[in-house]
Amino acid sequence: MRIIYKSPDEIRVMRESGLIAAEILEELCQAAKPGVSTWDLDQIARRGIEKHKVKSAFLGYASPPYPAVLCTSINEVIVHGIPRKNEILKDGDIIGIDFGIFHKGYCADTARTVMIGQVSQEKMDLVTTARDALEKGIELCRVGNRLGDIGHAIQSYAESHGYSVVTQFVGHGTGRQMHEDPQVPNYGKPNDGKRIKSGLVIAVEPMVNAGAPEVEVLDDNWTAVTKDRSMSAHFEHTIAITDDGPWVLTRPSSTPGNVG
Ligand code: MF3
Ligand code: CO
Ligand code: CO
């Protein structure tokens, strides 16, 4: 498969998509409180999708067809947790909320891990490190750098804090399809891999585990948990690489060349 570079006009449409996805994700993060079910969060996201007249990027995706518009990944769940009526958030949980849409045919894919009520210092440190690891990666989303530079920045930051990065799942190009080339691993070597060109749009999404990096997929064929059942945190932004620098399309305060 080949990388599909986007024109400035396409990137402006992807920015619209990113802003809508960001607005709905923000609403979901605010709604994530003790006593709320992951099903409730999915319902809120569905209402946002209707309000903005966009399309879910997740519903019906792949096989078995993904059954929801959100992934809700609590504690030892790394990614792809399925919202459920009987799964209730409780004080001390961490939950990764991953949300993706198509707007005017273009995808925006973004995720955040939020802390529910009072969480342990251990969980707080993990979440903060995963969030900051994404920022280290974003900083290197520049013309002339290589994909290995992004992965290396994320991996070395997470590992320097005593955590591991998941290698079984990776970030990705995005555009008319949610998952396009290239793959964007959260690990790598400096000055290695494909060179980054203007017009590349990628979803960068570190998954950081408190323990070992190994993954186990549960019987529903989606839910990915840490094999050692240690805690895991996930953050994701859709980023356009412009001649001026990175534009974090799913972050309202970002402008071309200013990560926001
Ligand atoms: N949004 C996820 C990613 O970041 C993929 C979700 S798969 C789905 O790549 F089936 F839930 F859509
Ligand atoms: Co995602
Ligand atoms: Co993604």
Side-chain angles (χ1 to χ4, degrees):
M1 289 280 285
R2 293 179 33 251
I3 296 174
I4 302 163
Y5 294 93
K6 277 76 185 179
S7 69
D9 280 341
E10 288 178 294
I11 291 174
R12 279 188 281 275
V13 175
M14 293 191 76
R15 169 60 163 176
E16 295 177 5
S17 186
L19 288 176
I20 296 168
E23 182 182 326
I24 296 171
L25 182 63
E26 173 64 28
E27 189 185 346
L28 295 167
C29 292
Q30 305 270 355
K33 292 264 158 45
V36 170
S37 73
T38 51
W39 181 273
D40 296 332
L41 295 177
D42 195 71
Q43 292 297 115
I44 293 170
R46 285 174 193 252
R47 286 201 287 275
I49 284 170
E50 274 178 36
K51 173 180 160 195
H52 290 278
K53 302 188 182 345
V54 294
K55 205 176 144 283
S56 172
F58 295 8
L59 188 65
Y61 183 78
S63 77
Y66 192 73
V69 305
L70 279 187
C71 299
T72 49
S73 305
I74 299 178
N75 296 331
E76 72 281 1
V77 181
I78 303 168
V79 286
H80 303 167
I82 299 172
R84 302 195 189 273
K85 280 185 177 155
N86 61 1
E87 186 178 58
I88 315 288
L89 294 174
K90 56 182 198 306
D91 193 72
D93 282 341
I94 56 174
I95 177 178
I97 304 176
D98 191 344
F99 181 62
I101 57 166
F102 286 99
H103 161 75
K104 299 182 182 171
Y106 287 91
C107 186
D109 185 8
T110 182
R112 226 187 276 167
T113 297
V114 294
M115 300 180 275
I116 305 302
Q118 287 276 104
V119 307
S120 65
Q121 189 65 50
E122 286 77 11
K123 282 181 175 175
M124 225 186 268
D125 290 344
L126 173 68
V127 170
T128 303
T129 301
R131 186 195 65 200
D132 293 347
L134 173 55
E135 296 308 312
K136 300 286 174 192
I138 290 171
E139 196 45 54
L140 293 176
C141 289
R142 292 174 188 280
V143 173
N145 284 346
R146 293 174 183 270
L147 291 177
D149 296 321
I150 298 173
H152 178 260
I154 291 169
Q155 178 179 30
S156 57
Y157 186 79
E159 290 180 356
S160 76
H161 287 255
Y163 301 124
S164 66
V165 291
V166 171
T167 59
Q168 184 170 326
F169 299 110
V170 295
H172 49 92
T174 193
R176 290 196 164 274
Q177 312 257 251
M178 173 164 56
H179 293 146
E180 295 184 354
D181 275 350
Q183 296 201 102
V184 183
N186 298 300
Y187 56 91
K189 294 197 284 280
N191 208 25
D192 190 42
K194 274 203 181 60
R195 202 175 280 285
I196 295 170
K197 293 199 266 184
S198 181
L200 181 68
V201 180
I202 52 177
V204 180
E205 50 178 313
M207 288 144 266
V208 177
N209 294 354
E214 281 76 24
V215 175
E216 183 181 326
V217 177
L218 300 185
D219 285 341
D220 61 18
N221 283 114
W222 278 107
T223 310
V225 302
T226 57
K227 201 161 197 177
D228 63 9
R229 301 302 192 265
S230 66
M231 298 294 117
S232 186
H234 176 221
F235 284 82
E236 176 175 30
H237 274 300
T238 297
I239 300 137
I241 288 105
T242 76
D243 287 318
D244 297 324
W247 188 5
V248 186
L249 300 179
T250 44
R251 179 182 284 150
S253 61
S254 175
T255 54
N258 177 342
V259 298

